Amino acid sequence: ASDNASGVIVLLLLAELLEDYSGDLGVEIVAMNGEDYYSNPGEQQYIALNKDHFSEILLGINIDDVGYSKGRTAFSLYDTPETIASITKRVFLDYEELVAGEAWYTGDHGIFILNQVPALAITSNEMAELMREITHTPNDTPDILDRTKLVQIAYALRDLVYGIEEHQRA
């Protein structure tokens, strides 16, 4: 549920929220898999398809283990230009549920970092507990999720797209 159906739910909600988006930013919504088992077929395919296009990506975003009913949703930035970092913090911190979190490098955002693309990672600030007690266990069930957190993340990401778009036009 949290790893990673909740992330897919956020992507689907975001796609719905952006269905009428007509700005200049290209928004690519991609579900990847396999980083936990080091075979990472989704990441490998994405890298192969985009190896000559990483310089065109403004921000790679990873949504992983979100919606846990305990704690809040944490975001962290990686090699992000100050303008995008500032927009992200302004937008995200408008949502009571979202807080700045600790950096972590073991997720799908690593492919962006390794390819010199700024990245944003979104997870639970209770990630240590999730990893220790829930993720990859039978305890990872829908009842551990707070669905309102998933909705807030999708709205925050929508607002981030529009915030970056507004900055690009200025």
Side-chain angles (χ1 to χ4, degrees), residues 71-88:
R72 292 166 72 189
T73 301
F75 67 93
S76 50
L77 297 162
Y78 307 82
D79 300 323
T80 308
E82 184 51 42
T83 53
I84 292 178
S86 178
I87 294 166
T88 303

Side-chain angles (χ1 to χ4, degrees), residues 11 14 23 37 39 43 58 63 67 70 76 95 113 118 124 145 163:
L11 292 178
L14 178 60
Y37 300 104
S39 63
E43 289 179 353
L58 278 176
I63 306 164
K70 296 182 183 178
S76 50
Y95 287 85
I113 297 167
S124 170
L145 299 178

Side-chain angles (χ1 to χ4, degrees), residues 28 32 46 54 56-63 76-81 84 88 108-113 116-122 157 160 164:
E28 185 177 47
M32 294 187 199
Y46 187 84
F54 278 104
E56 300 167 18
I57 300 173
L58 278 176
L59 184 65
I61 301 172
N62 179 26
I63 306 164
S76 50
L77 297 162
Y78 307 82
D79 300 323
T80 308
I84 292 178
T88 303
D108 289 314
H109 53 290
I111 68 166
F112 298 107
I113 297 167
Q116 290 79 49
V117 174
L120 163 66
I122 304 170
L157 288 168
L160 178 60
I164 293 172

Side-chain angles (χ1 to χ4, degrees), residues 14-152:
L14 178 60
E16 203 170 294
L17 291 170
L18 292 175
E19 77 177 314
D20 294 326
Y21 174 73
S22 61
D24 294 331
L25 295 176
V27 177
E28 185 177 47
I29 295 175
V30 180
M32 294 187 199
N33 66 328
E35 91 281 0
D36 296 320
Y37 300 104
Y38 308 105
S39 63
N40 58 5
E43 289 179 353
Q44 293 300 322
Q45 183 177 20
Y46 187 84
I47 290 168
L49 293 171
N50 291 284
K51 64 183 177 199
D52 297 326
H53 304 285
F54 278 104
S55 63
E56 300 167 18
I57 300 173
L58 278 176
L59 184 65
I61 301 172
N62 179 26
I63 306 164
D64 197 3
D65 269 321
V66 294
Y68 188 37
S69 59
K70 296 182 183 178
R72 292 166 72 189
T73 301
F75 67 93
S76 50
L77 297 162
Y78 307 82
D79 300 323
T80 308
E82 184 51 42
T83 53
I84 292 178
S86 178
I87 294 166
T88 303
K89 290 173 189 172
R90 178 180 46 81
V91 167
F92 278 27
L93 294 176
D94 275 349
Y95 287 85
E96 184 178 318
E97 168 56 28
L98 295 164
V99 296
E102 299 285 325
W104 54 288
Y105 295 91
T106 57
D108 289 314
H109 53 290
I111 68 166
F112 298 107
I113 297 167
L114 292 172
N115 286 283
Q116 290 79 49
V117 174
L120 163 66
I122 304 170
T123 191
S124 170
N125 71 343
E126 298 292 332
M127 186 196 321
E129 179 178 322
L130 278 165
M131 295 296 160
R132 186 176 59 250
E133 299 175 18
I134 295 172
T135 303
H136 303 169
T137 76
N139 298 327
D140 192 0
T141 60
D143 60 300
I144 67 159
L145 299 178
D146 177 343
R147 289 148 185 88
T148 60
K149 292 180 179 186
L150 305 180
V151 173
Q152 281 192 17

